[in-house]
Amino acid sequence: MLGIVPIHTNQDAPFLSKESPKRKICNNALLGLAIITTLAITGPLAAQEISRQVRVTSDFWEGGITWGGVPGGYVTRYYVFYERGTIELCGVGTSTNAHTRQFEITLMRSAKLLMDKRPILEDLSFFARVPRPSDLATAMTNCRVIRMNPPNKTVTFEIDFPRKRFRL
C-alpha cells in the first residue's frame, strides 16, 4: 500500500534556507515534481477504493477470455461476497501469454460485473495481478464494495469482458 511521502519545507529543515537562490529554485522544481509524481502514483489506487484483500478459496469462480488468433488469454478468479448488508467483489487475474500482457489494464477497465445480465460495476482494473496462472489458486485478491442495495432474491453474477480488437 502506498503512503504519504514526507516533504520538507524550509521551516521543517532550517539547513535548506542557507542555500543559494538557484539551488532553491531547483529544489522547488524537484518538490513540485515529487508532488505530481506522488499524485500520479496514488491517484488511480485511491479512486479504485480497495476495501480489503482476501485469499482465493475453492468457493471462487473461474473466468477469463481467449485471444482470437493468438495463443493464451486472460484468466481470473473472483467472488461476490454479501456480508453485513453490502455487496463486495473480490478478484485476481493474469495473462497466459507474455505478448498480450500489455492489454490487461485496457481489458479490465472495459470489463463489467453483471447481476442478472445487468451491469452493476464497471472498470475491474482493481483486480490483483499475479505473474503466472498457477499462482491464482492461492493468490490474494483485491476487493471493492459495490454501492447498491443488496438484492432480496437469488441472483446470478458474471463478468462481461469487452469485444475489442487489440493490435499486436
Side-chain angles (χ1 to χ4, degrees):
M1 178 171 265
L2 297 174
I4 297 173
V5 178
I7 298 174
H8 297 287
T9 64
N10 286 346
Q11 293 84 13
D12 297 333
F15 61 89
L16 292 178
S17 62
K18 296 178 183 175
E19 295 175 336
S20 69
K22 287 183 181 178
R23 183 81 180 232
K24 283 186 181 179
I25 291 171
C26 181
N27 283 342
N28 287 341
L30 289 174
L31 176 67
L33 180 61
I35 292 170
I36 291 170
T37 303
T38 302
L39 291 174
I41 291 171
T42 60
L45 292 178
Q48 290 297 331
E49 299 176 16
I50 295 172
S51 55
R52 66 179 171 150
Q53 291 188 308
V54 175
R55 188 163 303 279
V56 172
T57 67
S58 60
D59 295 329
F60 276 63
W61 304 309
E62 296 181 13
I65 64 163
T66 57
W67 303 106
V70 177
Y74 181 81
V75 291
T76 184
R77 300 290 183 275
Y78 67 100
Y79 195 77
V80 177
F81 290 93
Y82 172 63
E83 297 175 355
R84 299 179 300 275
T86 62
I87 299 174
E88 189 175 36
L89 172 64
C90 299
V92 60
T94 189
S95 289
T96 59
N97 181 335
H99 297 293
T100 58
R101 188 172 310 275
Q102 62 187 326
F103 304 118
E104 277 184 31
I105 299 276
T106 305
L107 176 73
M108 294 308 285
R109 282 187 181 147
S110 301
K112 299 174 186 173
L113 178 67
L114 305 179
M115 181 176 75
D116 287 340
K117 306 280 186 205
R118 290 189 358 252
I120 61 169
L121 180 65
E122 297 180 5
D123 186 1
L124 306 184
S125 61
F126 68 90
F127 273 28
R129 292 178 189 81
V130 292
R132 294 172 298 281
S134 60
D135 297 336
L136 286 171
T138 59
M140 291 296 288
T141 65
N142 288 339
C143 303
R144 184 173 180 192
V145 172
I146 301 169
R147 309 272 184 229
M148 66 175 287
N149 292 327
N152 55 4
K153 61 178 183 164
T154 302
V155 295
T156 58
F157 292 96
E158 62 183 307
I159 292 181
D160 180 40
F161 290 99
R163 281 35 168 192
K164 288 188 168 224
R165 292 183 179 262
F166 297 95
R167 186 177 296 264
L168 294 175

